[in-house]
Amino acid sequence: MARQASGAAAPATGAGAPAAALFARLGIRREQDLVLHLPIRYEDETRIAPIASLRPGEVAQVQGVVARQEIVARPRRALAVELRDDTGSITLRFLHFYGSQLRQFAAGNRVRALGEVRGGLFGLEMVHPRYRVVDESEPLPQALTPVYPTVSGLGQARLRAAILRALRALQWRETVPADVLVALGLPSSAHALRAIHQPAPETPASALHERSTPAWRRVIFDELLAQQLSLQRARAARAAQRAPQLADDALARRLLDALPFRLTGAQQRVWLEVSGELAAAQPMNRLLQGDVGSGKTVIAALAAAQAIGSGWQAAIMAPTEILAEQHLRKVGPWLERIGVRVAWLSGSLKEAGKKAARARAASGEAQLLIGTHALIEDSVAFARLGLAIVDEQHRFGVAQRLALRTRLEAGPATLPHQLMMSATPIPRTLAMSYYADLDVSVIDELPPGRKPVLTKLVSDARRAEVMARVRAAAAAGRQAYWVCPLIEESEALDLQTAIDTHAALERELAPLRVGLVHGRLPAADKHAVMAQFAAGALQVLVATTVIEVGVDVPNATLMVIEHAERFGLAQLHQLRGRVGRGAGESVCVLMYRAPLSAAARDRLKTMYETSDGFEIARRDLILRGPGEFLGARQSGEALLRFADLERDSDLLAAAREVAARLLRDDPASVDEHLQRWFGGREEFLRA
């Protein structure tokens, strides 16, 4: 296939605009996209099974002559066709059928049918098999039949025909050095794609399903190579750009002296890395990760102080108002104490407040602007933005992160430094792949005095015992969180559940004072409830997952998570991190409802076995894939389509090395490889 530009026409599908729109919904916009639309499974039409050899549960292809057909009324109206070969008979059953099918199944017609064999009341049957009328001499296919991902209106036959035409015209130039292919035992790209679309009958079905054949490994390597090329090229482009040299650390040193605690060894190491990069003339693009409670916020405050002390502005953006307010209440006073002017901007502010904050940012009067994604709206302008800090960056959608980058790059030739923070530890393989264009710092040490949180798994049949534990914590002068169950896909139901739970706990725990906080609460009310809880005026706080990050109440030593089986591992780990922030013994009760699914049992077992955020993140990556870590569900764009970071870690390591070599020695192959895999969409990879 000839090399094409990213704006190439839609694939030659044999039809006009409506068909092109259907193909586009599958991500097929160019002719070369067709050969990268790979099968999700295969059907074996290369052999005919004797009917007498069939067993219930297997998928098989049979061929025989129609002995009779009838429309039966019980248990529901259906067309039943008896198909016979030399060894026996089987019934083909159709619950939905048309008059034309009655003619196809005329007695004496020869039919070839593929489907799952079931045991029926009157012998073996196939329900709605795939079938066609054939001649006795019609040959069998010589390769397994691919089954592709598709959309309504685009049938498998049409998709196969378009892909087969593209395969026949395939003329891809090899973009990977021959010595690399030999060392990794990989075939050429063209050979690999043909072997995946048209695998030989002797290819083990298990190897195709597990994507472990040499052909599949070649395609996976190419995908990982495209990712690494894009990210490493982005890193090199950033290194060539200019940033303000924020080298005056006098204000940061004043902040260090004013803090009521000393930095841990890990914090000191990370601060040296960040401070050194801020002083450089290239834009910092650093991901700061550390487990819940490890002390990332103080690094953000020090970075902001160094930027401001060097004569520039800083901004801190958080994904939720509660987390942004937490920064305002924590970082704001630290910096105001050393003379920094702080402003606040969020969507819930009245227009007059927003206008005042924007004016302070635009004039330079506000040296630090803290807020939510309101900071990236078009109406916000900075006089001299030198540093952008993004907390829980993966919780912003890909499009929002792209908007942030565009906003930052919209100014003069000088780019601000960026510091991204995450309390969701990034597994090593994810850091090697999706975060390859970032520098990564890790705070791997908790502040002194922190005690590990004891985790208990409790069936909801023992709810009375949990209530007694809440009362005991309150009697000892401690406080408790009670997190409501997560209702998938329904914020309204989440809200009603929280309201109902709050009312029930107020009755059951009287005379304890029980507060309620949720995402729909007006900002002022939310702030008032959180302030009451922080001050000890409330013994129990009923909440949805809005308290997942950023809430810091050292006196809260008990966390109850109702219906814990409905939560993901990352959420459970974040919620558990809301307790254990003081010197007292803390407990997290994961209350579940039996019976548990296998996945839910694995999640709860992981939480019980370990408090290591990196190990939890590693298991979460295996269970759910990278989308949750990357905030990718909001993007609508595919991440890695074929590679699995755990299974293919050896190919990922090789792809990193080969990417560096190609970028240095063969830029033409880099362009061709990226065009092949991404077209014009590689910017989503770097968001």
Side-chain angles (χ1 to χ4, degrees):
M1 190 175 303
R3 187 175 167 189
Q4 297 180 11
S6 60
T13 58
L22 290 174
F23 277 86
R25 284 172 59 192
L26 292 170
I28 301 172
R29 298 173 178 85
R30 308 163 304 161
E31 191 79 10
Q32 61 205 53
D33 294 334
L34 282 164
V35 294
L36 290 176
H37 190 70
L38 301 184
I40 48 173
R41 59 186 173 86
Y42 301 88
E43 291 174 342
D44 189 355
E45 296 181 300
T46 65
R47 42 178 78 86
I48 299 292
I51 291 174
S53 71
L54 300 178
R55 295 290 178 268
E58 69 177 315
V59 175
Q61 181 173 240
V62 296
Q63 183 172 302
V65 174
V66 176
R68 65 188 181 89
Q69 61 160 278
E70 64 174 324
I71 297 173
V72 295
R74 293 181 181 177
R76 57 182 287 192
R77 190 170 184 271
L79 170 63
V81 177
E82 183 184 351
L83 195 68
R84 286 186 172 275
D85 69 4
D86 294 339
T87 69
S89 67
I90 188 171
T91 299
L92 311 183
R93 189 175 299 278
F94 299 88
L95 306 179
H96 309 286
F97 57 93
Y98 307 96
S100 59
Q101 286 175 285
L102 300 178
R103 292 190 295 276
Q104 288 176 320
F105 290 122
N109 279 0
R110 185 172 296 277
V111 171
R112 190 175 290 172
L114 176 78
E116 182 182 348
V117 180
R118 300 184 183 181
L121 287 173
F122 305 104
L124 298 178
E125 65 179 26
M126 288 181 179
V127 178
H128 281 286
R130 190 152 59 80
Y131 73 92
R132 57 198 182 98
V133 179
V134 296
D135 295 328
E136 189 170 4
S137 60
E138 182 149 342
L140 290 166
Q142 296 304 299
L144 299 175
T145 303
V147 178
Y148 294 99
T150 191
V151 293
S152 178
L154 188 56
Q156 290 290 328
R158 190 176 187 181
L159 199 48
R160 287 188 193 113
I163 290 169
L164 187 59
R165 281 196 298 273
L167 272 178
R168 286 177 180 147
L170 186 62
Q171 293 177 0
W172 274 2
R173 185 178 75 83
E174 188 55 76
T175 55
V176 176
D179 62 304
V180 171
L181 298 181
V182 171
L184 294 174
L186 299 177
S188 72
S189 181
H191 176 87
L193 288 165
R194 291 190 177 101
I196 289 172
H197 286 292
Q198 299 176 304
E202 65 272 12
T203 309
S206 59
L208 288 169
H209 176 72
E210 293 165 7
R211 297 179 174 174
S212 61
T213 63
W216 263 113
R217 280 178 59 81
R218 172 60 205 268
V219 166
I220 288 165
F221 175 79
D222 278 1
E223 182 180 42
L224 290 168
L225 178 60
Q227 183 197 53
Q228 290 299 306
L229 287 169
S230 175
L231 291 169
Q232 290 185 32
R233 190 159 73 171
R235 177 189 280 266
R238 191 184 79 246
Q241 292 172 320
R242 308 299 293 170
Q245 291 181 265
L246 311 176
D248 189 340
D249 64 352
L251 195 63
R253 288 201 308 273
R254 279 180 58 196
L255 175 58
L256 269 176
D257 292 339
L259 289 172
F261 54 83
R262 296 188 57 160
L263 298 188
T264 64
Q267 286 172 323
Q268 290 174 20
R269 170 176 46 78
V270 168
W271 171 235
L272 285 174
E273 292 172 348
V274 171
S275 178
E277 282 204 337
L278 289 174
Q282 289 80 38
M284 176 177 74
N285 202 28
R286 185 168 286 275
L287 174 66
L288 170 57
Q289 55 173 326
D291 219 333
V292 176
S294 61
K296 297 178 296 299
T297 305
V298 71
I299 303 298
L302 288 166
Q306 184 162 321
I308 293 161
S310 301
W312 292 75
Q313 292 168 292
I316 298 178
M317 185 170 80
T320 67
E321 197 142 312
I322 278 190
L323 182 51
E325 285 175 355
Q326 186 77 20
H327 286 308
L328 182 67
R329 292 197 299 273
K330 197 167 191 176
V331 177
W334 283 347
L335 292 176
E336 284 170 341
R337 214 170 292 141
I338 56 172
V340 172
R341 299 184 299 276
V342 179
W344 162 254
L345 182 60
S346 78
S348 67
L349 271 180
K350 290 182 177 169
E351 189 53 42
K354 289 181 186 173
K355 191 173 179 182
R358 290 195 292 261
R360 293 181 67 198
S363 68
E365 195 272 326
Q367 296 167 299
L368 173 64
L369 189 63
I370 299 175
T372 58
H373 48 75
L375 268 61
I376 57 173
E377 291 175 358
D378 290 340
S379 55
V380 179
F382 292 88
R384 282 166 64 82
L385 182 63
L387 171 66
I389 298 168
V390 185
D391 198 5
E392 292 297 319
Q393 57 85 33
H394 68 284
R395 289 166 63 102
F396 290 98
V398 170
Q400 285 176 313
R401 296 205 298 276
L402 281 171
L404 172 64
R405 177 171 285 123
T406 303
R407 292 278 295 118
L408 294 179
E409 293 180 358
T414 301
L415 289 179
H417 298 275
Q418 281 195 78
L419 178 64
M420 286 156 284
M421 303 194 295
S422 177
T424 302
I426 309 301
R428 178 178 169 273
T429 49
L430 209 60
M432 287 171 63
S433 54
Y434 288 98
Y435 293 97
D437 64 327
L438 303 182
D439 297 302
V440 180
S441 292
V442 180
I443 301 178
D444 51 9
E445 176 186 0
L446 289 178
R450 284 278 170 88
K451 295 181 179 177
V453 178
L454 181 65
T455 301
K456 291 184 173 292
L457 305 183
V458 177
S459 163
D460 65 356
R462 295 167 57 196
R463 184 184 176 94
E465 294 176 40
V466 177
M467 303 293 282
R469 185 178 278 274
V470 173
R471 288 192 197 91
R478 300 298 186 181
Q479 293 164 276
Y481 296 99
W482 190 290
V483 179
C484 296
L486 195 67
I487 312 294
E488 271 302 315
E489 308 298 338
S490 175
E491 278 187 32
L493 285 176
D494 276 349
L495 176 61
Q496 192 55 50
T497 303
I499 292 168
D500 294 345
T501 302
H502 175 248
L505 289 178
E506 273 194 318
R507 289 192 305 271
E508 295 174 67
L509 293 172
L512 297 184
R513 293 181 299 282
V514 183
L516 171 64
V517 65
H518 54 75
R520 298 279 184 88
L521 213 57
D525 295 351
K526 207 183 301 178
H527 182 75
V529 173
M530 292 305 302
Q532 284 181 291
F533 188 63
L538 299 171
Q539 280 85 38
V540 181
L541 182 64
V542 176
T544 56
T545 54
V546 294
I547 62 148
E548 186 180 328
V549 291
V551 179
D552 188 0
V553 181
N555 192 50
T557 59
L558 177 60
M559 166 69 68
V560 179
I561 304 175
E562 202 172 350
H563 283 289
E565 75 277 4
R566 295 181 184 173
F567 293 82
L569 267 177
Q571 279 184 313
L572 290 172
H573 181 59
Q574 290 282 0
L575 288 166
R576 180 169 62 184
R578 297 306 106 211
V579 293
R581 305 180 80 82
E585 293 282 354
S586 293
V587 177
C588 178
V589 177
L590 302 179
M591 195 158 53
Y592 64 87
R593 175 171 292 180
L596 292 172
S597 68
R601 192 179 301 112
D602 285 345
R603 288 196 299 273
L604 296 183
K605 182 169 178 278
T606 294
M607 293 299 296
Y608 180 74
E609 288 177 343
T610 182
S611 59
D612 180 344
F614 285 91
E615 174 58 19
I616 288 170
R618 188 188 70 80
R619 297 194 198 182
D620 202 21
L621 179 63
I622 294 169
L623 287 171
R624 295 196 295 170
E628 294 296 323
F629 292 87
L630 301 164
R633 290 197 306 178
Q634 305 98 310
S635 74
E637 291 288 323
L639 296 169
L640 288 172
R641 289 182 288 164
F642 311 121
D644 178 292
L645 295 180
E646 284 289 316
R647 180 194 64 204
D648 304 317
S649 58
D650 62 322
L651 293 179
L652 172 58
R656 289 184 80 188
E657 294 178 11
V658 175
R661 173 177 164 184
L662 288 177
L663 285 163
R664 184 186 66 239
D665 300 337
D666 192 356
S669 288
V670 171
D671 289 341
E672 191 160 349
H673 197 88
L674 287 174
Q675 186 59 241
R676 189 174 293 173
W677 277 89
F678 294 134
R681 292 170 291 152
E682 63 174 302
E683 76 279 1
F684 272 88
L685 200 61
R686 303 195 301 272

